[in-house]
Amino acid sequence: MGLLTDLYSSSIGKKITVGLTGILLCAYLVVHLAGNMLLFRGDGGAAFDAYADVLPSLLVIRIIEIGLFAVFLLHIVTGTIVWIQNRRARPVPYAVHKKNDTSDPLSRIMFVTGSVVFIFLVVHLNTFWVPARFGDGSHHSMYGTVVEAFSSPLYSVFYLLAMVLLAFHLRHGFQSALQTFGLKNLKYTRAIEAAGLIFWLLIPVGFATIPIFYLLNP
Amino acid sequence: MNFTLKIWRQPGRTSAGTFKQYTIDGVAADMSFLEMLDGVNQKLVRGGEDAIAFDSDCREGICGSCGLFINGRAHGPARGVATCELRMRHFTDGEAITVEPWRAKAFPVIKDLVVDRTGFDRIIQAGGYVSVNTGGVPDANAIPVPKHSAEEAMDAAACIGCGACVAACKNGSASLFVAAKISHLALLPQGQAERKDRVTKMVAAMDEEGFGGCSNTYACEAECPKLIPVTTIARMNREFLLAKK
Ligand code: FES
């Protein structure tokens, strides 16, 4: 425990925490997306519903669920602490600061993109997870909930927007985490950037296919 | 060439500062930015005014004393140069130029454009050295150093401690400076004995001084007059983790 608190108290330790939880969340997104793709089986949602019904009944999933919440919380809380500390490090701003000449704007707005993704997360959980988990059991089916939610174009557009911001967040986040772990050096930079490119683009695009599908097939 | 300058004037640490406007003409394109400022100061002194305070020493990019935030950029718009190496040809005739001191909580303004960078000294005191016994001068070639280690260590050792990395970073982070020092010594055989201790203590000192953390925007690398790469920061993180076990 001493080692962990010691790590967490330093700026590098906090960055490593944000990076590590971020990578874990990325891994979760892959699994989540794979499950969601069952929506497109064209079987009226039978496979998707079967999948959505069996998950909560498994003990291991319940345990993972708690772990996932903990990871989310750690990512968000630590990210916010880092953001506050970093802002405090420059109390007097420059009159002129040409930041765009020296750095990628996306690398500087992680707190903003993260915050929007967080708002999305709350709405998202409230739409799908809360009724399924705490509902009175009268909910028809998860597939039905999905169809119902995306029948609102407003919801679909909000979802799409969130995916764009998620892409922005991941674009900096993924490669940034590897730099933080010290894994990036001259030899691997290219490979990491290539892997990151696939990652930040493919995952959000994968999720975005869902609202796009429902927007095109109302 | 003629210029209109907007320069930060602040009489002392605790006093409030403000921008003052100055004009200068007859500037040669090959003059350095500091020579141009010397010209402004000459005029001010002749007129009985207080000269603009700014740091400089070697004026050839090797000491790290100089450092001004010029038109929104640390050491001005040119890449890989310190303020003293910046030439007026990098500006257009008649341009308005804003000159500010480095801005960071850990670099408080002492006067005008001079900031207190002793935070860097305290970080170095925390571990940026190797301890050697006194005695006869060792043979220069007694300790073999692999070529690539020597090269990488030398690249990191090019750091002149000017603080442009802190000035450019949106977080006022000293990561590139500290990482350069850590990389320089971790790569060499002479640095091994204190390797773990060094990174632990220097990172702690860096946090203690109130510098921000690194969020990998890489603005430091873009502004570093010695072009020190952010791969040194990756190495520092790695060293930091390895020192924990
Ligand atoms: S005065 Fe020495 S580096 Fe500029």
Side-chain angles (χ1 to χ4, degrees):
Chain A
M1 206 60 209
L3 176 74
L4 282 185
T5 47
D6 185 33
L7 250 178
Y8 196 80
S9 66
S10 90
S11 61
I12 296 181
K14 280 194 212 59
K15 282 296 298 173
I16 289 170
T17 308
V18 176
L20 204 62
T21 49
I23 293 289
L24 285 173
L25 293 175
C26 282
Y28 166 69
L29 284 182
V30 176
V31 179
H32 186 11
L33 179 62
N36 281 7
M37 286 301 109
L38 290 173
L39 283 169
F40 296 133
R41 284 215 28 193
D43 56 2
F48 183 74
D49 271 344
Y51 164 75
D53 282 342
V54 76
L55 280 188
S57 64
L58 300 172
L59 181 68
V60 58
I61 295 294
R62 286 293 172 90
I63 295 168
I64 290 175
E65 194 176 70
I66 295 166
L68 190 61
F69 265 106
V71 170
F72 261 114
L73 211 67
L74 203 56
H75 187 75
I76 293 163
V77 170
T78 315
T80 308
I81 293 174
V82 167
W83 179 74
I84 293 171
Q85 284 185 341
N86 287 346
R87 283 182 67 95
R88 283 205 190 128
R90 172 161 302 127
V92 183
Y94 291 106
V96 188
H97 194 175
K98 294 194 183 132
K99 291 184 193 157
N100 289 341
D101 284 9
T102 54
S103 63
D104 176 4
L106 291 186
S107 71
R108 302 194 307 263
I109 56 165
M110 290 301 275
F111 185 76
V112 177
T113 52
S115 300
V116 176
V117 173
F118 174 69
I119 293 167
F120 166 78
L121 181 72
V122 173
V123 173
H124 185 68
L125 284 177
N126 189 46
T127 313
F128 299 109
W129 183 74
V130 172
R133 193 75 162 64
F134 301 108
D136 51 7
S138 66
H139 78 284
H140 27 310
S141 73
M142 190 53 107
Y143 185 76
T145 314
V146 171
V147 175
E148 198 185 301
F150 288 108
S151 67
S152 154
L154 196 71
Y155 193 89
S156 296
V157 168
F158 168 63
Y159 193 109
L160 273 177
L161 207 74
M163 286 311 109
V164 172
L165 283 151
L166 176 66
F168 287 171
H169 197 72
L170 289 177
R171 197 183 122 163
H172 178 69
F174 184 80
Q175 55 88 21
S176 177
L178 295 173
Q179 161 81 358
T180 298
F181 304 153
L183 293 177
K184 254 171 111 171
N185 63 27
L186 292 171
K187 238 189 292 176
Y188 302 128
T189 306
R190 282 257 172 99
I192 287 171
E193 266 161 20
L197 181 87
I198 297 167
F199 210 86
W200 72 261
L201 203 60
L202 275 194
I203 298 285
V205 165
F207 281 106
T209 54
I210 302 164
I212 291 172
F213 176 81
Y214 288 104
L215 276 172
L216 294 180
N217 308 286
Chain B
M1 301 174 93
N2 306 326
F3 298 101
T4 309
L5 303 161
K6 225 175 100 184
I7 298 178
W8 182 259
R9 300 303 307 265
Q10 182 175 332
R13 272 179 191 269
T14 47
S15 28
T18 172
F19 281 103
K20 285 226 174 95
Q21 196 154 312
Y22 305 92
T23 50
I24 179 149
D25 37 36
V27 176
D30 291 340
M31 274 170 117
S32 81
F33 198 83
L34 298 184
E35 282 173 299
M36 184 276 295
L37 282 183
D38 289 338
V40 176
N41 272 343
Q42 229 162 43
K43 230 171 80 180
L44 286 178
V45 171
R46 276 199 203 112
E49 278 181 74
D50 198 12
I52 302 156
F54 61 87
D55 265 328
S56 79
D57 189 6
C58 72
R59 299 218 174 182
E60 56 177 348
I62 56 169
C63 74
S65 298
C66 63
L68 300 175
F69 211 75
I70 303 161
N71 270 353
R73 297 280 304 273
H75 291 306
R79 187 165 161 75
V81 296
T83 303
C84 59
E85 301 167 288
L86 183 70
R87 305 288 142 175
M88 295 316 292
R89 57 175 171 269
H90 286 114
F91 299 88
T92 50
D93 194 15
E95 196 175 338
I97 305 174
T98 306
V99 189
E100 300 174 70
W102 285 171
R103 294 281 187 204
K105 188 175 148 217
F107 283 169
V109 173
I110 298 173
K111 186 172 196 264
D112 298 337
L113 303 170
V114 180
V115 298
D116 181 352
R117 282 174 291 184
T118 51
F120 270 13
D121 299 341
R122 287 186 290 274
I123 295 174
I124 294 294
Q125 280 161 11
Y129 51 79
V130 291
S131 304
V132 278
N133 292 326
T134 52
V137 180
D139 185 343
N141 295 321
I143 306 168
V145 182
K147 171 79 173 153
H148 69 269
S149 304
E151 291 287 346
E152 250 189 287
M154 193 59 210
D155 285 350
C159 170
I160 54 175
C162 63
C165 43
V166 176
C169 174
K170 78 172 177 69
N171 306 333
S173 171
S175 290
L176 193 65
F177 167 75
V178 180
K181 302 303 172 194
I182 286 168
S183 298
H184 163 202
L185 297 174
L187 281 159
L188 296 175
Q190 292 90 336
Q192 298 314 304
E194 291 145 311
R195 189 168 169 179
K196 290 187 174 184
D197 222 29
R198 175 181 307 118
V199 62
T200 309
K201 286 182 176 164
M202 288 183 82
V203 168
M206 164 177 96
D207 289 347
E208 182 81 9
E209 291 292 332
F211 292 104
C214 176
S215 45
N216 305 324
T217 70
Y218 309 144
C220 52
E221 184 184 85
E223 294 291 49
C224 176
K226 298 295 148 190
L227 304 171
I228 292 171
V230 290
T231 45
T232 56
I233 299 180
R235 184 182 296 279
M236 169 172 73
N237 295 343
R238 207 155 61 220
E239 293 286 323
F240 178 80
L241 271 180
L242 292 176
K244 291 286 170 204
K245 43 167 229 189

PDB file of all heavy atoms in Angstrom, chain B residues 56-66 82 84 160, ligand 1:
ATOM      1  N   SER B  56      20.964  37.536 -19.469  1.00  0.00           N
ATOM      2  CA  SER B  56      21.770  36.984 -20.561  1.00  0.00           C
ATOM      3  C   SER B  56      23.185  36.854 -20.045  1.00  0.00           C
ATOM      4  O   SER B  56      23.565  37.505 -19.081  1.00  0.00           O
ATOM      5  CB  SER B  56      21.739  37.877 -21.795  1.00  0.00           C
ATOM      6  OG  SER B  56      22.623  38.964 -21.635  1.00  0.00           O
ATOM      7  N   ASP B  57      23.943  35.986 -20.699  1.00  0.00           N
ATOM      8  CA  ASP B  57      25.337  35.866 -20.298  1.00  0.00           C
ATOM      9  C   ASP B  57      26.204  35.575 -21.508  1.00  0.00           C
ATOM     10  O   ASP B  57      26.820  36.457 -22.072  1.00  0.00           O
ATOM     11  CB  ASP B  57      25.488  34.786 -19.216  1.00  0.00           C
ATOM     12  CG  ASP B  57      26.889  34.773 -18.616  1.00  0.00           C
ATOM     13  OD1 ASP B  57      27.677  35.665 -18.954  1.00  0.00           O
ATOM     14  OD2 ASP B  57      27.180  33.879 -17.809  1.00  0.00           O
ATOM     15  N   CYS B  58      26.189  34.340 -21.993  1.00  0.00           N
ATOM     16  CA  CYS B  58      27.112  33.972 -23.071  1.00  0.00           C
ATOM     17  C   CYS B  58      26.759  34.612 -24.413  1.00  0.00           C
ATOM     18  O   CYS B  58      27.607  34.920 -25.209  1.00  0.00           O
ATOM     19  CB  CYS B  58      27.147  32.460 -23.222  1.00  0.00           C
ATOM     20  SG  CYS B  58      25.637  31.779 -23.948  1.00  0.00           S
ATOM     21  N   ARG B  59      25.483  34.783 -24.625  1.00  0.00           N
ATOM     22  CA  ARG B  59      24.949  35.301 -25.893  1.00  0.00           C
ATOM     23  C   ARG B  59      25.387  34.467 -27.092  1.00  0.00           C
ATOM     24  O   ARG B  59      25.560  34.964 -28.197  1.00  0.00           O
ATOM     25  CB  ARG B  59      25.339  36.769 -26.083  1.00  0.00           C
ATOM     26  CG  ARG B  59      24.755  37.640 -24.959  1.00  0.00           C
ATOM     27  CD  ARG B  59      24.299  38.968 -25.478  1.00  0.00           C
ATOM     28  NE  ARG B  59      23.617  39.737 -24.437  1.00  0.00           N
ATOM     29  CZ  ARG B  59      23.092  40.919 -24.632  1.00  0.00           C
ATOM     30  NH1 ARG B  59      23.171  41.492 -25.822  1.00  0.00           N
ATOM     31  NH2 ARG B  59      22.475  41.547 -23.671  1.00  0.00           N
ATOM     32  N   GLU B  60      25.600  33.179 -26.856  1.00  0.00           N
ATOM     33  CA  GLU B  60      25.878  32.283 -27.987  1.00  0.00           C
ATOM     34  C   GLU B  60      25.181  30.939 -27.795  1.00  0.00           C
ATOM     35  O   GLU B  60      25.635  29.916 -28.301  1.00  0.00           O
ATOM     36  CB  GLU B  60      27.383  32.130 -28.216  1.00  0.00           C
ATOM     37  CG  GLU B  60      28.144  31.652 -26.995  1.00  0.00           C
ATOM     38  CD  GLU B  60      29.619  31.440 -27.292  1.00  0.00           C
ATOM     39  OE1 GLU B  60      30.000  31.447 -28.471  1.00  0.00           O
ATOM     40  OE2 GLU B  60      30.391  31.259 -26.335  1.00  0.00           O
ATOM     41  N   GLY B  61      24.114  30.940 -27.013  1.00  0.00           N
ATOM     42  CA  GLY B  61      23.279  29.743 -26.912  1.00  0.00           C
ATOM     43  C   GLY B  61      23.851  28.593 -26.122  1.00  0.00           C
ATOM     44  O   GLY B  61      23.454  27.453 -26.343  1.00  0.00           O
ATOM     45  N   ILE B  62      24.766  28.878 -25.196  1.00  0.00           N
ATOM     46  CA  ILE B  62      25.315  27.746 -24.446  1.00  0.00           C
ATOM     47  C   ILE B  62      25.123  27.822 -22.935  1.00  0.00           C
ATOM     48  O   ILE B  62      25.360  26.846 -22.235  1.00  0.00           O
ATOM     49  CB  ILE B  62      26.823  27.520 -24.755  1.00  0.00           C
ATOM     50  CG1 ILE B  62      27.616  28.790 -24.492  1.00  0.00           C
ATOM     51  CG2 ILE B  62      27.026  26.996 -26.170  1.00  0.00           C
ATOM     52  CD1 ILE B  62      29.116  28.564 -24.515  1.00  0.00           C
ATOM     53  N   CYS B  63      24.699  28.969 -22.407  1.00  0.00           N
ATOM     54  CA  CYS B  63      24.653  29.066 -20.945  1.00  0.00           C
ATOM     55  C   CYS B  63      23.248  28.898 -20.379  1.00  0.00           C
ATOM     56  O   CYS B  63      23.079  28.484 -19.239  1.00  0.00           O
ATOM     57  CB  CYS B  63      25.253  30.380 -20.481  1.00  0.00           C
ATOM     58  SG  CYS B  63      24.203  31.820 -20.773  1.00  0.00           S
ATOM     59  N   GLY B  64      22.233  29.223 -21.159  1.00  0.00           N
ATOM     60  CA  GLY B  64      20.855  29.074 -20.693  1.00  0.00           C
ATOM     61  C   GLY B  64      20.354  30.235 -19.859  1.00  0.00           C
ATOM     62  O   GLY B  64      19.303  30.149 -19.239  1.00  0.00           O
ATOM     63  N   SER B  65      21.098  31.328 -19.829  1.00  0.00           N
ATOM     64  CA  SER B  65      20.657  32.478 -19.026  1.00  0.00           C
ATOM     65  C   SER B  65      19.484  33.207 -19.651  1.00  0.00           C
ATOM     66  O   SER B  65      18.602  33.680 -18.948  1.00  0.00           O
ATOM     67  CB  SER B  65      21.800  33.485 -18.866  1.00  0.00           C
ATOM     68  OG  SER B  65      22.872  32.910 -18.199  1.00  0.00           O
ATOM     69  N   CYS B  66      19.523  33.350 -20.974  1.00  0.00           N
ATOM     70  CA  CYS B  66      18.509  34.165 -21.617  1.00  0.00           C
ATOM     71  C   CYS B  66      17.206  33.373 -21.748  1.00  0.00           C
ATOM     72  O   CYS B  66      17.205  32.147 -21.705  1.00  0.00           O
ATOM     73  CB  CYS B  66      18.974  34.604 -22.998  1.00  0.00           C
ATOM     74  SG  CYS B  66      19.241  33.230 -24.122  1.00  0.00           S
ATOM     75  N   ALA B  82      18.103  29.787 -28.843  1.00  0.00           N
ATOM     76  CA  ALA B  82      17.793  30.544 -27.632  1.00  0.00           C
ATOM     77  C   ALA B  82      17.562  31.996 -28.031  1.00  0.00           C
ATOM     78  O   ALA B  82      17.925  32.407 -29.140  1.00  0.00           O
ATOM     79  CB  ALA B  82      18.947  30.423 -26.646  1.00  0.00           C
ATOM     80  N   CYS B  84      19.079  34.632 -27.344  1.00  0.00           N
ATOM     81  CA  CYS B  84      20.300  35.353 -27.743  1.00  0.00           C
ATOM     82  C   CYS B  84      20.725  35.018 -29.167  1.00  0.00           C
ATOM     83  O   CYS B  84      21.478  35.779 -29.782  1.00  0.00           O
ATOM     84  CB  CYS B  84      21.429  35.057 -26.762  1.00  0.00           C
ATOM     85  SG  CYS B  84      21.853  33.309 -26.638  1.00  0.00           S
ATOM     86  N   ILE B 160      20.476  23.274 -21.644  1.00  0.00           N
ATOM     87  CA  ILE B 160      21.174  24.403 -21.022  1.00  0.00           C
ATOM     88  C   ILE B 160      20.381  24.970 -19.847  1.00  0.00           C
ATOM     89  O   ILE B 160      20.758  25.988 -19.277  1.00  0.00           O
ATOM     90  CB  ILE B 160      21.466  25.513 -22.069  1.00  0.00           C
ATOM     91  CG1 ILE B 160      20.187  25.933 -22.802  1.00  0.00           C
ATOM     92  CG2 ILE B 160      22.531  25.060 -23.061  1.00  0.00           C
ATOM     93  CD1 ILE B 160      20.362  27.108 -23.770  1.00  0.00           C
TER      94      ILE B 160
HETATM   95  S1  FES C   1      22.712  34.120 -23.183  1.00  0.00           S
HETATM   96 FE1  FES C   1      23.629  32.178 -22.922  1.00  0.00          FE
HETATM   97  S2  FES C   1      22.172  30.924 -23.921  1.00  0.00           S
HETATM   98 FE2  FES C   1      21.427  32.867 -24.380  1.00  0.00          FE
END
